[in-house]
Amino acid sequence: MKTTKKGLWVALLAVVAMFAAACGSSVTDVASDAADAAGDAAGEVADAAEEVAEEAMEEVDEAMEEEAPAADAGSLGSATMGRANWSSGYVQAAILRDLLVEAGYEISEPADAEFAPDLGYQAMATGEIDFWANSWYPGHLSWWEGELPDGSQVGDNLERIEGSLMQGGGLQGMLVTKSWAEENGVLTLDQINDDEALWSQLDSDGNGKGEFFGCPEDWTCDDIMASQIEFAGWDNLEQTQAGYDAMFAEFLTKAQAGEPAIIYTWTPTSYLAQAIPGETTMWLSVEESSVLDDSNPLGKEGGEAYCQRCGESIGYTGLGEDTCLGSDGCQVGWEAADIEITANKAWIAENPVAREMFNQFKPPLIDLAIAGIALDASDGSTDAVNEIAAGWIADNRDLATSWVEAAVAAG
């Protein structure tokens, strides 16, 4: 779903404060002020943003003409890179690919090897692809449990590059229509489940269960949510599963009209910039007792990894009351996932330059959120993804160069 350029940039300013708060950033106050200003002067902000974007692209074109500090192309060999089938991870994959090329690798186009996680980890384990930058841990550890034709476990053939990419960057949970929640005194998902007057308003097909928009069947969050429903005893709720873009479009239409609707979403993604938590939607809490443990209530293979209370904290409670509803503070019910790189174990053992690049690679969360908005405003093509990635590298040339130099030195 596309929104207008004006709406995207104004929404971005409104949501940056939330990203900053979630990351413990010192820029929260500045971002909040920017969001307030955006609400007062949306037209001016949109016009200025358009001019800045045009100037930035001119600078990107100039920077890309400069010689990058790359080793001889392909001198370190070739590798096959994959990517996950959610668009919010496309740009980070493209940035990583370009930096590895600068370091001396010949890397395939990630778009040519796109997988859902159920097949992505098998592809890495068998060597069909060598790595990707789209792992969400601990949830994705469930995919390490499968058995390969040679009798080995998928995870026996993989290496998780801990500390790479975005630690705690995968904030996730449920959004609800703000006006509907306020009119009905809604604070938690448990409350909706326990009150027929509430869940019945979400029952669009008349089957006696209220629906919320969940995840496509080939992701991992769908299995986690199914386990949450069983664990928490949410017998009056069920998950709707379809293509995420279609579900989000329907959710946003309902939320903007003030109609009851709930959807799972995550960061970093442009979906939040469209949903505008605090204005159109709110994050919805769950009771702490409903936060999923490692009991694997549905007996899923590897389902113990779905636990959202097995780390240093129970779920995530870092959002403020301006964007998150809750009966006793915010509890979104999901840990903020570590978004990391995973590689074929044999391949990474033979590629110290790539390993060091993976260790170095940590683009700012807010930058990736902005990149997602740029992608949403584009035609969504592979060329658009690669242009946005190249633009980020050009705008952050010193940082990118430091990563490349550190990686090459490791060889």
Side-chain angles (χ1 to χ4, degrees):
M1 179 179 182
K2 299 291 189 294
T3 58
T4 65
K5 182 179 293 184
K6 174 179 176 179
L8 281 169
W9 282 100
V10 173
L12 171 62
L13 288 173
V15 82
V16 159
M18 190 199 68
F19 278 121
C23 298
S25 172
S26 61
V27 303
T28 305
D29 293 338
V30 175
S32 298
D33 292 342
D36 292 339
D40 296 334
E44 289 83 351
V45 171
D47 292 340
E50 184 172 359
E51 293 177 7
V52 169
E54 292 174 353
E55 293 174 1
M57 289 313 301
E58 291 176 2
E59 293 175 1
V60 167
D61 291 339
E62 294 174 0
M64 290 174 65
E65 293 176 358
E66 299 178 1
E67 184 177 355
D72 293 337
S75 62
L76 295 176
S78 62
T80 302
M81 181 178 183
R83 75 179 187 188
N85 63 341
W86 46 86
S87 60
S88 62
Y90 288 177
V91 173
Q92 69 205 41
I95 293 172
L96 180 59
R97 173 191 180 274
D98 288 356
L99 295 178
L100 287 167
V101 169
E102 287 190 19
Y105 285 97
E106 181 181 341
I107 306 291
S108 66
E109 167 57 57
D112 294 339
E114 181 171 305
F115 294 94
D118 57 343
L119 297 179
Y121 289 93
Q122 291 184 41
M124 278 184 282
T126 61
E128 180 180 349
I129 61 176
D130 296 308
F131 64 94
W132 78 357
N134 299 117
S135 290
W136 280 57
Y137 292 124
H140 279 190
L141 289 173
S142 62
W143 301 112
W144 288 43
E145 299 297 322
E147 185 173 322
L148 297 175
D150 65 3
S152 67
Q153 293 292 109
V154 168
D156 294 339
N157 303 280
L158 300 176
E159 181 169 339
R160 171 186 178 182
I161 314 301
E162 296 191 54
S164 60
L165 242 174
M166 288 175 280
Q167 299 307 288
L171 175 64
Q172 50 193 326
M174 312 298 288
L175 292 178
V176 64
T177 303
K178 180 183 179 184
S179 58
W180 176 76
E182 291 176 341
E183 290 168 4
N184 290 272
V186 170
L187 297 175
T188 69
L189 202 56
D190 302 81
Q191 176 189 357
I192 295 172
N193 178 79
D194 294 342
D195 188 344
E196 183 175 1
L198 295 175
W199 63 254
S200 62
Q201 296 182 60
L202 297 166
D203 181 10
S204 64
D205 58 9
N207 72 342
K209 289 182 180 288
E211 303 113 31
F212 62 85
F213 297 107
C215 289
E217 292 182 359
D218 56 1
W219 289 6
T220 310
C221 43
D222 60 319
D223 290 332
I224 296 175
M225 278 187 281
S227 298
Q228 284 182 322
I229 290 171
E230 180 70 18
F231 176 78
W234 294 334
D235 298 331
N236 297 312
L237 297 172
E238 63 183 2
Q239 175 183 186
T240 297
Q241 294 181 268
Y244 191 82
D245 284 347
M247 289 193 297
F248 184 81
E250 185 174 349
F251 167 78
L252 190 60
T253 298
K254 289 177 177 289
Q256 290 173 338
E259 299 174 7
I262 300 170
I263 194 169
Y264 164 87
T265 199
W266 68 95
T267 65
T269 173
S270 65
Y271 297 117
L272 275 181
Q274 298 175 64
I276 318 180
E279 181 177 324
T280 303
T281 67
M282 295 289 283
W283 291 97
L284 183 62
S285 286
V286 305
E287 296 296 333
E288 191 163 291
S289 60
S290 295
V291 179
L292 183 63
D293 66 11
D294 61 356
S295 60
N296 192 10
L298 295 179
K300 298 277 188 178
E301 184 176 55
E304 295 80 10
Y306 299 158
C307 182
Q308 303 297 316
R309 59 192 310 135
C310 295
E312 296 180 357
S313 61
I314 298 175
Y316 185 81
T317 59
L319 296 174
E321 61 183 13
D322 55 334
T323 59
C324 185
L325 302 169
S327 57
D328 186 21
C330 177
Q331 170 55 268
V332 298
W334 296 68
E335 289 183 328
D338 293 330
I339 305 176
E340 296 178 334
I341 299 165
T342 301
N344 176 276
K345 183 179 290 186
W347 182 84
I348 194 64
E350 297 176 354
N351 287 274
V353 173
R355 180 189 295 278
E356 184 58 27
M357 177 65 77
F358 296 165
N359 287 329
Q360 294 284 328
F361 186 62
K362 296 178 178 65
L365 176 64
I366 290 177
D367 283 11
L368 293 180
I370 294 171
I373 290 174
L375 181 59
D376 187 78
S378 74
D379 61 8
S381 66
T382 298
D383 286 345
V385 171
N386 290 335
E387 183 178 13
I388 293 167
W392 185 89
I393 292 173
D395 289 342
N396 296 271
R397 183 70 267 174
D398 290 346
L399 178 60
T401 297
S402 71
W403 291 345
V404 172
E405 290 177 345
V408 171

